[in-house]
Every structure is written in structure tokens, then in C-alpha cells.
């Protein structure tokens, strides 16, 4: 015969089981189950940043692999995400020219933009959604528990260039209106804004004080 009363020990076990079931729902992403990351060689910078920030936030290591393992994989970049069938060309078109697509599910995480720089922004966007802050070269990555809500995100910023560096696609004066002024006579890293405002080829001979 079943008795309505139950021992405190039994009740505590049931309560613990129910609380755990509520804590990890079917829509949650358990980061501890992700061990591998895949990317094309062109997206190595974005993948390295993801691995570094993932370790700082969750205390977990990721292994780069070229062989598909099915589930629980992370894909960085358009080539890898497209090959895995996780991000479509139609979705990338919605993020073009400088946005990105993020898909974070219990089985896969995919981040891609229409080009490598947009994918790098996507990696930052993923961690910003988890509370990280990126200021120049010193990111602030909080420690987090290994459970994330699943989400999908497509962004299309109005400002293409959102980086502090000059060695990227949209801030290279050698690709501007007068590339002949900068092709051989400018060091983008040392010159900074002077490379644009006071081109060496035009002014340095007459104004060595520059």
C-alpha cells in the first residue's frame, strides 16, 4: 500500500532532481559538452579569438579539428558554417556587407560574416551577448557558468569599419581614392592618421618637420 508520507531524505532527492531538470532545459546550451572547433584557414584569427575568449569565460579548452564529428561542434567563418549547412547564403545576404550571423544551439554554434573581418566582429558579438566588453586590445571577459540560452542573431550595422586597427579592409589608405600616394611611401601602422591627411609623397620633401 502506498503511503502519502515520505521521508525527508527521499523528498530532498526528488527536489534536487527536479531542480536540476529545471536548470538545464532542452533549449539551453551546455558549453561543457563542446570540445572541438572548425574553421577555414582564412578565419584563423577569428577562431583564435573565440578559443581564447571561450577559455577565459568558461575555463574550457577547445581543440581545432578538420574532421566532422556530428554534434557538439563550433564553426567559425563562412566556409566552415556553410559546409556544415548551418548558415545559408540567404542569411549571409541579410548581414552583408559588414554584419554577421550567429547561431547558438544545444548541438552547434556557428558564427559567420560575408568576409573574414565581419566574422571577427561576430566572434566579439557572441561574447558581448554573454557580458564581455571589448575596448581596443584589452577585452573584459567575465567568468560564466557553462549554461547559455540558445539564440540566433543576424546583424547588419550601418557602419562598416568598427575596428581600432588600420591594417584591415576598410581602413587601408592604399585602397582609397589615391592609392598611388600610399603604395610605397607609407607605413600604415607608424603613420596612423597622418598617412591620410599628410601623405609623405606629397609633403615630406618640403616639410621634413612632419
Amino acid at each position: 500500500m502506498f503511503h502519502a508520507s515520505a521521508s525527508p531524505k527521499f523528498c530532498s532527492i526528488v527536489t534536487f532532481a527536479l531542480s536540476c531538470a529545471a536548470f538545464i532545459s532542452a533549449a539551453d546550451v551546455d558549453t561543457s559538452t563542446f570540445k572541438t572547433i572548425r574553421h577555414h584557414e582564412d578565419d584563423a584569427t577569428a577562431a583564435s579569438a573565440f578559443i581564447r575568449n571561450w577559455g577565459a569565460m568558461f575555463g574550457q579548452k577547445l581543440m581545432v579539428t578538420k574532421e566532422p564529428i556530428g554534434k557538439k561542434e563550433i564553426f567559425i567563418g563562412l566556409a566552415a558554417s556553410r559546409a556544415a549547412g548551418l548558415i545559408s547564403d540567404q542569411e549571409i545576404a541579410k548581414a552583408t556587407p559588414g554584419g554577421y550571423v550567429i547561431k547558438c544551439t544545444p548541438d552547434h554554434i556557428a558564427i559567420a560574416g560575408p568576409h573574414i573581418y565581419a566574422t571577427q566582429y561576430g566572434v566579439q558579438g557572441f561574447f558581448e551577448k554573454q557580458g564581455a566588453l571589448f575596448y581596443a586590445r584589452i577585452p573584459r571577459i567575465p567568468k560564466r557558468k557553462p549554461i547559455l540560452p540558445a539564440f540566433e542573431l543576424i546583424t547588419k550595422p550601418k557602419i562598416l569599419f568598427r575596428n581600432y586597427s588600420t591594417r584591415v579592409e576598410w581602413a587601408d589608405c592604399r585602397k582609397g581614392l589615391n592609392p598611388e600616394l600610399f603604395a610605397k611611401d607609407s607605413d600604415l601602422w607608424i603613420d596612423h592618421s597622418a598617412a591620410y591627411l599628410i601623405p609623405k609623397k606629397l609633403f615630406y620633401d618640403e616639410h621634413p618637420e612632419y
Side-chain angles (χ1 to χ4, degrees), residues 35-59:
K35 306 297 183 183
T36 61
I37 184 170
R38 294 167 62 188
H39 66 87
H40 188 271
E41 60 183 9
D42 290 343
D43 293 298
T45 298
S48 295
F50 189 96
I51 292 171
R52 182 173 60 253
N53 296 333
W54 184 272
M57 181 170 285
F58 302 113

PDB file of all heavy atoms in Angstrom, residues 35-59:
ATOM      1  N   LYS A  35      33.746  20.484 -27.427  1.00  0.00           N
ATOM      2  CA  LYS A  35      35.176  20.228 -27.302  1.00  0.00           C
ATOM      3  C   LYS A  35      35.982  20.629 -28.541  1.00  0.00           C
ATOM      4  O   LYS A  35      37.197  20.796 -28.459  1.00  0.00           O
ATOM      5  CB  LYS A  35      35.418  18.728 -27.024  1.00  0.00           C
ATOM      6  CG  LYS A  35      34.659  18.183 -25.823  1.00  0.00           C
ATOM      7  CD  LYS A  35      35.083  18.845 -24.524  1.00  0.00           C
ATOM      8  CE  LYS A  35      34.363  18.226 -23.320  1.00  0.00           C
ATOM      9  NZ  LYS A  35      34.715  18.910 -22.056  1.00  0.00           N
ATOM     10  N   THR A  36      35.316  20.756 -29.691  1.00  0.00           N
ATOM     11  CA  THR A  36      36.046  20.980 -30.941  1.00  0.00           C
ATOM     12  C   THR A  36      35.541  22.217 -31.664  1.00  0.00           C
ATOM     13  O   THR A  36      34.382  22.619 -31.513  1.00  0.00           O
ATOM     14  CB  THR A  36      35.926  19.766 -31.889  1.00  0.00           C
ATOM     15  OG1 THR A  36      34.552  19.554 -32.221  1.00  0.00           O
ATOM     16  CG2 THR A  36      36.485  18.517 -31.234  1.00  0.00           C
ATOM     17  N   ILE A  37      36.426  22.794 -32.473  1.00  0.00           N
ATOM     18  CA  ILE A  37      36.098  23.973 -33.264  1.00  0.00           C
ATOM     19  C   ILE A  37      36.674  23.779 -34.662  1.00  0.00           C
ATOM     20  O   ILE A  37      37.782  23.259 -34.822  1.00  0.00           O
ATOM     21  CB  ILE A  37      36.651  25.248 -32.608  1.00  0.00           C
ATOM     22  CG1 ILE A  37      36.229  26.503 -33.385  1.00  0.00           C
ATOM     23  CG2 ILE A  37      38.152  25.188 -32.448  1.00  0.00           C
ATOM     24  CD1 ILE A  37      36.557  27.795 -32.641  1.00  0.00           C
ATOM     25  N   ARG A  38      35.906  24.173 -35.674  1.00  0.00           N
ATOM     26  CA  ARG A  38      36.347  24.022 -37.062  1.00  0.00           C
ATOM     27  C   ARG A  38      36.295  25.373 -37.754  1.00  0.00           C
ATOM     28  O   ARG A  38      35.396  26.176 -37.527  1.00  0.00           O
ATOM     29  CB  ARG A  38      35.461  23.010 -37.793  1.00  0.00           C
ATOM     30  CG  ARG A  38      35.600  21.589 -37.259  1.00  0.00           C
ATOM     31  CD  ARG A  38      34.497  20.695 -37.775  1.00  0.00           C
ATOM     32  NE  ARG A  38      34.522  20.577 -39.216  1.00  0.00           N
ATOM     33  CZ  ARG A  38      33.567  19.975 -39.928  1.00  0.00           C
ATOM     34  NH1 ARG A  38      32.511  19.470 -39.328  1.00  0.00           N
ATOM     35  NH2 ARG A  38      33.662  19.893 -41.231  1.00  0.00           N
ATOM     36  N   HIS A  39      37.269  25.603 -38.641  1.00  0.00           N
ATOM     37  CA  HIS A  39      37.317  26.864 -39.383  1.00  0.00           C
ATOM     38  C   HIS A  39      38.214  26.697 -40.602  1.00  0.00           C
ATOM     39  O   HIS A  39      39.098  25.844 -40.642  1.00  0.00           O
ATOM     40  CB  HIS A  39      37.849  27.995 -38.496  1.00  0.00           C
ATOM     41  CG  HIS A  39      39.290  27.815 -38.086  1.00  0.00           C
ATOM     42  ND1 HIS A  39      40.352  28.246 -38.849  1.00  0.00           N
ATOM     43  CD2 HIS A  39      39.830  27.230 -36.989  1.00  0.00           C
ATOM     44  CE1 HIS A  39      41.483  27.945 -38.243  1.00  0.00           C
ATOM     45  NE2 HIS A  39      41.201  27.324 -37.116  1.00  0.00           N
ATOM     46  N   HIS A  40      37.986  27.548 -41.608  1.00  0.00           N
ATOM     47  CA  HIS A  40      38.882  27.627 -42.756  1.00  0.00           C
ATOM     48  C   HIS A  40      40.110  28.417 -42.346  1.00  0.00           C
ATOM     49  O   HIS A  40      40.061  29.244 -41.425  1.00  0.00           O
ATOM     50  CB  HIS A  40      38.160  28.307 -43.921  1.00  0.00           C
ATOM     51  CG  HIS A  40      38.933  28.278 -45.204  1.00  0.00           C
ATOM     52  ND1 HIS A  40      39.830  29.268 -45.546  1.00  0.00           N
ATOM     53  CD2 HIS A  40      38.937  27.387 -46.220  1.00  0.00           C
ATOM     54  CE1 HIS A  40      40.351  28.988 -46.723  1.00  0.00           C
ATOM     55  NE2 HIS A  40      39.823  27.853 -47.161  1.00  0.00           N
ATOM     56  N   GLU A  41      41.224  28.183 -43.018  1.00  0.00           N
ATOM     57  CA  GLU A  41      42.470  28.852 -42.631  1.00  0.00           C
ATOM     58  C   GLU A  41      42.366  30.369 -42.711  1.00  0.00           C
ATOM     59  O   GLU A  41      43.029  31.090 -41.956  1.00  0.00           O
ATOM     60  CB  GLU A  41      43.613  28.365 -43.513  1.00  0.00           C
ATOM     61  CG  GLU A  41      43.421  28.617 -45.003  1.00  0.00           C
ATOM     62  CD  GLU A  41      44.559  28.055 -45.843  1.00  0.00           C
ATOM     63  OE1 GLU A  41      45.405  27.321 -45.290  1.00  0.00           O
ATOM     64  OE2 GLU A  41      44.602  28.353 -47.047  1.00  0.00           O
ATOM     65  N   ASP A  42      41.496  30.890 -43.587  1.00  0.00           N
ATOM     66  CA  ASP A  42      41.329  32.340 -43.681  1.00  0.00           C
ATOM     67  C   ASP A  42      40.699  32.934 -42.413  1.00  0.00           C
ATOM     68  O   ASP A  42      40.841  34.140 -42.152  1.00  0.00           O
ATOM     69  CB  ASP A  42      40.458  32.701 -44.888  1.00  0.00           C
ATOM     70  CG  ASP A  42      41.171  32.436 -46.208  1.00  0.00           C
ATOM     71  OD1 ASP A  42      42.411  32.300 -46.193  1.00  0.00           O
ATOM     72  OD2 ASP A  42      40.482  32.358 -47.235  1.00  0.00           O
ATOM     73  N   ASP A  43      40.003  32.103 -41.663  1.00  0.00           N
ATOM     74  CA  ASP A  43      39.333  32.569 -40.451  1.00  0.00           C
ATOM     75  C   ASP A  43      40.106  32.197 -39.189  1.00  0.00           C
ATOM     76  O   ASP A  43      39.534  32.128 -38.097  1.00  0.00           O
ATOM     77  CB  ASP A  43      37.918  31.991 -40.378  1.00  0.00           C
ATOM     78  CG  ASP A  43      37.019  32.540 -41.473  1.00  0.00           C
ATOM     79  OD1 ASP A  43      36.793  33.761 -41.480  1.00  0.00           O
ATOM     80  OD2 ASP A  43      36.561  31.755 -42.323  1.00  0.00           O
ATOM     81  N   ALA A  44      41.403  31.999 -39.329  1.00  0.00           N
ATOM     82  CA  ALA A  44      42.218  31.584 -38.178  1.00  0.00           C
ATOM     83  C   ALA A  44      42.232  32.643 -37.084  1.00  0.00           C
ATOM     84  O   ALA A  44      42.216  32.323 -35.890  1.00  0.00           O
ATOM     85  CB  ALA A  44      43.643  31.264 -38.631  1.00  0.00           C
ATOM     86  N   THR A  45      42.267  33.924 -37.461  1.00  0.00           N
ATOM     87  CA  THR A  45      42.286  34.989 -36.459  1.00  0.00           C
ATOM     88  C   THR A  45      41.010  34.985 -35.634  1.00  0.00           C
ATOM     89  O   THR A  45      41.046  35.083 -34.403  1.00  0.00           O
ATOM     90  CB  THR A  45      42.457  36.360 -37.137  1.00  0.00           C
ATOM     91  OG1 THR A  45      43.715  36.386 -37.828  1.00  0.00           O
ATOM     92  CG2 THR A  45      42.432  37.486 -36.099  1.00  0.00           C
ATOM     93  N   ALA A  46      39.875  34.878 -36.296  1.00  0.00           N
ATOM     94  CA  ALA A  46      38.601  34.839 -35.584  1.00  0.00           C
ATOM     95  C   ALA A  46      38.501  33.604 -34.702  1.00  0.00           C
ATOM     96  O   ALA A  46      38.019  33.678 -33.560  1.00  0.00           O
ATOM     97  CB  ALA A  46      37.441  34.876 -36.584  1.00  0.00           C
ATOM     98  N   ALA A  47      38.956  32.457 -35.205  1.00  0.00           N
ATOM     99  CA  ALA A  47      38.889  31.220 -34.425  1.00  0.00           C
ATOM    100  C   ALA A  47      39.789  31.290 -33.195  1.00  0.00           C
ATOM    101  O   ALA A  47      39.403  30.849 -32.106  1.00  0.00           O
ATOM    102  CB  ALA A  47      39.286  30.029 -35.300  1.00  0.00           C
ATOM    103  N   SER A  48      40.973  31.875 -33.361  1.00  0.00           N
ATOM    104  CA  SER A  48      41.890  32.012 -32.223  1.00  0.00           C
ATOM    105  C   SER A  48      41.276  32.897 -31.139  1.00  0.00           C
ATOM    106  O   SER A  48      41.392  32.611 -29.947  1.00  0.00           O
ATOM    107  CB  SER A  48      43.223  32.592 -32.686  1.00  0.00           C
ATOM    108  OG  SER A  48      43.884  31.703 -33.564  1.00  0.00           O
ATOM    109  N   ALA A  49      40.631  33.969 -31.564  1.00  0.00           N
ATOM    110  CA  ALA A  49      39.976  34.860 -30.602  1.00  0.00           C
ATOM    111  C   ALA A  49      38.842  34.135 -29.883  1.00  0.00           C
ATOM    112  O   ALA A  49      38.652  34.298 -28.669  1.00  0.00           O
ATOM    113  CB  ALA A  49      39.450  36.102 -31.312  1.00  0.00           C
ATOM    114  N   PHE A  50      38.086  33.326 -30.621  1.00  0.00           N
ATOM    115  CA  PHE A  50      36.996  32.578 -29.994  1.00  0.00           C
ATOM    116  C   PHE A  50      37.535  31.610 -28.956  1.00  0.00           C
ATOM    117  O   PHE A  50      37.018  31.536 -27.834  1.00  0.00           O
ATOM    118  CB  PHE A  50      36.192  31.821 -31.051  1.00  0.00           C
ATOM    119  CG  PHE A  50      34.940  31.198 -30.511  1.00  0.00           C
ATOM    120  CD1 PHE A  50      33.728  31.857 -30.627  1.00  0.00           C
ATOM    121  CD2 PHE A  50      34.975  29.965 -29.880  1.00  0.00           C
ATOM    122  CE1 PHE A  50      32.565  31.295 -30.120  1.00  0.00           C
ATOM    123  CE2 PHE A  50      33.817  29.396 -29.355  1.00  0.00           C
ATOM    124  CZ  PHE A  50      32.612  30.058 -29.484  1.00  0.00           C
ATOM    125  N   ILE A  51      38.570  30.875 -29.316  1.00  0.00           N
ATOM    126  CA  ILE A  51      39.159  29.904 -28.390  1.00  0.00           C
ATOM    127  C   ILE A  51      39.676  30.595 -27.129  1.00  0.00           C
ATOM    128  O   ILE A  51      39.465  30.135 -26.001  1.00  0.00           O
ATOM    129  CB  ILE A  51      40.298  29.135 -29.084  1.00  0.00           C
ATOM    130  CG1 ILE A  51      39.725  28.240 -30.190  1.00  0.00           C
ATOM    131  CG2 ILE A  51      41.086  28.290 -28.078  1.00  0.00           C
ATOM    132  CD1 ILE A  51      40.773  27.613 -31.081  1.00  0.00           C
ATOM    133  N   ARG A  52      40.345  31.718 -27.306  1.00  0.00           N
ATOM    134  CA  ARG A  52      40.904  32.465 -26.173  1.00  0.00           C
ATOM    135  C   ARG A  52      39.798  32.989 -25.255  1.00  0.00           C
ATOM    136  O   ARG A  52      39.861  32.833 -24.025  1.00  0.00           O
ATOM    137  CB  ARG A  52      41.755  33.613 -26.703  1.00  0.00           C
ATOM    138  CG  ARG A  52      42.425  34.441 -25.628  1.00  0.00           C
ATOM    139  CD  ARG A  52      43.387  35.441 -26.232  1.00  0.00           C
ATOM    140  NE  ARG A  52      42.738  36.372 -27.151  1.00  0.00           N
ATOM    141  CZ  ARG A  52      42.858  36.341 -28.473  1.00  0.00           C
ATOM    142  NH1 ARG A  52      43.600  35.414 -29.065  1.00  0.00           N
ATOM    143  NH2 ARG A  52      42.234  37.241 -29.238  1.00  0.00           N
ATOM    144  N   ASN A  53      38.757  33.588 -25.849  1.00  0.00           N
ATOM    145  CA  ASN A  53      37.678  34.146 -25.042  1.00  0.00           C
ATOM    146  C   ASN A  53      36.830  33.060 -24.392  1.00  0.00           C
ATOM    147  O   ASN A  53      36.342  33.220 -23.269  1.00  0.00           O
ATOM    148  CB  ASN A  53      36.800  35.048 -25.906  1.00  0.00           C
ATOM    149  CG  ASN A  53      37.550  36.265 -26.423  1.00  0.00           C
ATOM    150  OD1 ASN A  53      38.509  36.724 -25.797  1.00  0.00           O
ATOM    151  ND2 ASN A  53      37.141  36.776 -27.567  1.00  0.00           N
ATOM    152  N   TRP A  54      36.647  31.958 -25.098  1.00  0.00           N
ATOM    153  CA  TRP A  54      35.897  30.812 -24.554  1.00  0.00           C
ATOM    154  C   TRP A  54      36.602  30.276 -23.309  1.00  0.00           C
ATOM    155  O   TRP A  54      35.947  30.000 -22.280  1.00  0.00           O
ATOM    156  CB  TRP A  54      35.801  29.732 -25.621  1.00  0.00           C
ATOM    157  CG  TRP A  54      34.997  28.515 -25.283  1.00  0.00           C
ATOM    158  CD1 TRP A  54      35.441  27.382 -24.669  1.00  0.00           C
ATOM    159  CD2 TRP A  54      33.605  28.279 -25.574  1.00  0.00           C
ATOM    160  NE1 TRP A  54      34.440  26.465 -24.561  1.00  0.00           N
ATOM    161  CE2 TRP A  54      33.301  26.978 -25.100  1.00  0.00           C
ATOM    162  CE3 TRP A  54      32.613  29.033 -26.180  1.00  0.00           C
ATOM    163  CZ2 TRP A  54      32.037  26.426 -25.221  1.00  0.00           C
ATOM    164  CZ3 TRP A  54      31.345  28.473 -26.303  1.00  0.00           C
ATOM    165  CH2 TRP A  54      31.060  27.197 -25.826  1.00  0.00           C
ATOM    166  N   GLY A  55      37.915  30.144 -23.388  1.00  0.00           N
ATOM    167  CA  GLY A  55      38.667  29.661 -22.237  1.00  0.00           C
ATOM    168  C   GLY A  55      38.599  30.626 -21.070  1.00  0.00           C
ATOM    169  O   GLY A  55      38.475  30.219 -19.906  1.00  0.00           O
ATOM    170  N   ALA A  56      38.688  31.930 -21.363  1.00  0.00           N
ATOM    171  CA  ALA A  56      38.634  32.929 -20.303  1.00  0.00           C
ATOM    172  C   ALA A  56      37.261  32.976 -19.644  1.00  0.00           C
ATOM    173  O   ALA A  56      37.151  33.167 -18.431  1.00  0.00           O
ATOM    174  CB  ALA A  56      38.988  34.307 -20.863  1.00  0.00           C
ATOM    175  N   MET A  57      36.198  32.801 -20.424  1.00  0.00           N
ATOM    176  CA  MET A  57      34.840  32.905 -19.891  1.00  0.00           C
ATOM    177  C   MET A  57      34.385  31.645 -19.185  1.00  0.00           C
ATOM    178  O   MET A  57      33.802  31.700 -18.088  1.00  0.00           O
ATOM    179  CB  MET A  57      33.870  33.255 -21.017  1.00  0.00           C
ATOM    180  CG  MET A  57      32.416  33.403 -20.570  1.00  0.00           C
ATOM    181  SD  MET A  57      31.338  34.100 -21.852  1.00  0.00           S
ATOM    182  CE  MET A  57      31.828  35.828 -21.822  1.00  0.00           C
ATOM    183  N   PHE A  58      34.662  30.478 -19.780  1.00  0.00           N
ATOM    184  CA  PHE A  58      34.130  29.223 -19.251  1.00  0.00           C
ATOM    185  C   PHE A  58      35.190  28.313 -18.640  1.00  0.00           C
ATOM    186  O   PHE A  58      34.850  27.280 -18.046  1.00  0.00           O
ATOM    187  CB  PHE A  58      33.387  28.462 -20.355  1.00  0.00           C
ATOM    188  CG  PHE A  58      32.266  29.238 -20.975  1.00  0.00           C
ATOM    189  CD1 PHE A  58      32.337  29.662 -22.295  1.00  0.00           C
ATOM    190  CD2 PHE A  58      31.141  29.565 -20.240  1.00  0.00           C
ATOM    191  CE1 PHE A  58      31.303  30.381 -22.872  1.00  0.00           C
ATOM    192  CE2 PHE A  58      30.097  30.284 -20.810  1.00  0.00           C
ATOM    193  CZ  PHE A  58      30.186  30.696 -22.125  1.00  0.00           C
ATOM    194  N   GLY A  59      36.465  28.663 -18.808  1.00  0.00           N
ATOM    195  CA  GLY A  59      37.526  27.817 -18.274  1.00  0.00           C
ATOM    196  C   GLY A  59      37.652  26.495 -18.995  1.00  0.00           C
ATOM    197  O   GLY A  59      38.083  25.501 -18.414  1.00  0.00           O
TER     198      GLY A  59
END
